[in-house]
């Protein structure tokens, strides 16, 4: 919890209690737990063929230390949770090598076991999904700064803040959790998180946000061979205070044309999410699963060095229920969405 969390503070004179914001469930792995988890991932990465790995991921994840499985299970049952964090994973920086220049060359043999470990942790929450239109359909993708993309609107940016967003907000098949594994983050570049405080939403705004009056364009990380799909209007906020479903993207959402009421409601929620934005820094060895239904996420700006020392994350999208996705190619307990 961060210093905004004053739950449980005694009543009485003094400053007004501040709102509880950071709902991160965090487990600090012991050296033994981290070692066992990495050993399992290394064995999966070197001894199993891909077919078996993708088929048996949820079963292989049973071999992770029990404390990790118990913790993730408890955390996933919090309907208002923001982030599930597993800290203290071991990274051998000497073996890992330099941060690659682009995602295209980032699926390195030395980093593969970390991607598998991220998938194993993710299998405690659901099944990994990928996108045929993103990073060549890889299930484990890479987040690192690319030269020339410093001011772009995607995660390869650096000098520009990556604005808060629901991962793949344009699609009904978007993930329930986004898993991020910090292999390197020497500059402690913060990830950002924001959320809707339901009790703050005026009733008329809530009613409009729950109606299909908003259009999401796919972000620029998706590369389409032909025409981009024509987005249909969808709601921004559904599900109610006990089980919210937030769908928002600061750069890629607009109200439908000719609907000033929707535009006003959208402006309200954008201001609200801006105001609630807070930092969660993924340090080296941190694995974070961001709840893609409850919160939006982004990244603060930073100065990329492009010398092999820059921030490098592995990323995996996790779906709780593969059966809700009917537009992809199944490979074992995974799916690549077309
Ligand atoms: Fe993202």
């Amino acid at each position: 919890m961060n210093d905004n969390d004053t739950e449980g503070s005694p009543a009485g004179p003094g400053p007004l209690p501040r709102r509880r914001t950071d709902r991160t469930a965090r487990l600090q792995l012991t050296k033994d737990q981290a070692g066992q988890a990495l050993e399992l991932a290394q064995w999966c990465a070197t001894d199993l063929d891909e077919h078996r790995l993708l088929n048996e991921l949820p079963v292989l994840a049973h071999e992770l230390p029990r404390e990790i499985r118990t913790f993730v299970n408890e955390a996933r049952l919090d309907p208002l949770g923001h982030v599930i964090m597993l800290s203290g994973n071991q990274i051998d920086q000497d073996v890992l090598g330099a941060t690659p220049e682009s995602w295209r060359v980032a699926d390195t043999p030395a980093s593969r076991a970390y991607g598998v470990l991220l998938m194993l942790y993710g299998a405690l929450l659901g099944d990994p999904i990928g996108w045929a239109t993103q990073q060549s359909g890889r299930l484990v993708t890479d987040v690192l700064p690319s030269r020339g993309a410093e001011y772009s609107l995607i995660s390869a940016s650096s000098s520009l803040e990556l604005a808060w967003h629901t991962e793949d907000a344009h699609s009904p098949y978007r993930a329930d959790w986004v898993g991020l594994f910090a292999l390197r983050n020497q500059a402690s570049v913060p990830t950002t998180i924001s959320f809707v405080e339901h009790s703050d939403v005026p009733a008329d705004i809530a009613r409009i946000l729950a109606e299909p009056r908003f259009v999401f364009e796919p972000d620029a990380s998706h590369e389409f061979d032909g025409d981009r799909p024509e987005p249909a209007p969808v709601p921004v906020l559904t599900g109610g205070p006990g089980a919210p479903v937030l769908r928002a993207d600061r750069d890629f959402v607009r109200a439908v044309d000719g609907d000033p009421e929707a535009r006003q409601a959208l402006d309200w929620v954008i201001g609200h999410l801006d105001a609630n934005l807070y930092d969660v820094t993924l340090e080296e060895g941190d694995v974070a699963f961001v709840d893609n239904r409850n919160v939006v996420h982004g990244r603060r700006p930073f100065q990329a060095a492009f010398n092999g020392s820059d921030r490098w994350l592995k990323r995996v999208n996790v779906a709780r229920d593969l059966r809700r996705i009917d537009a992809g190619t199944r490979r074992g307990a995974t799916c690549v969405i077309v």
Side-chain angles (χ1 to χ4, degrees), residues 143 155 162-163 165-168 178 180 219 292 297-298 315 317:
V143 178
S155 62
L162 180 64
H165 58 279
T166 300
E167 194 77 353
D168 304 304
V178 182
L180 300 169
D219 71 55
N292 202 38
H297 65 279
R315 175 178 59 193
N317 288 298

Side-chain angles (χ1 to χ4, degrees), residues 251-317:
D251 290 329
F252 291 94
V253 62
R254 59 179 168 83
V256 296
D257 293 339
D259 188 345
E261 219 181 29
R263 176 70 246 173
Q264 210 175 12
L266 186 60
D267 286 346
W268 186 93
V269 81
I270 287 173
H272 182 78
L273 289 167
D274 282 347
N276 283 349
L277 199 67
Y278 65 91
D279 292 350
V280 174
T281 301
L282 275 62
E283 303 290 358
E284 177 186 316
D286 282 348
V287 169
F289 288 93
V290 176
D291 193 312
N292 202 38
R293 300 153 299 184
N294 290 346
V295 299
V296 288
H297 65 279
R299 191 216 62 238
R300 297 294 183 194
F302 66 104
Q303 197 61 49
F306 300 120
N307 64 358
S309 71
D310 285 319
R311 180 176 181 264
W312 181 10
L313 312 182
K314 291 280 177 188
R315 175 178 59 193
V316 71
N317 288 298

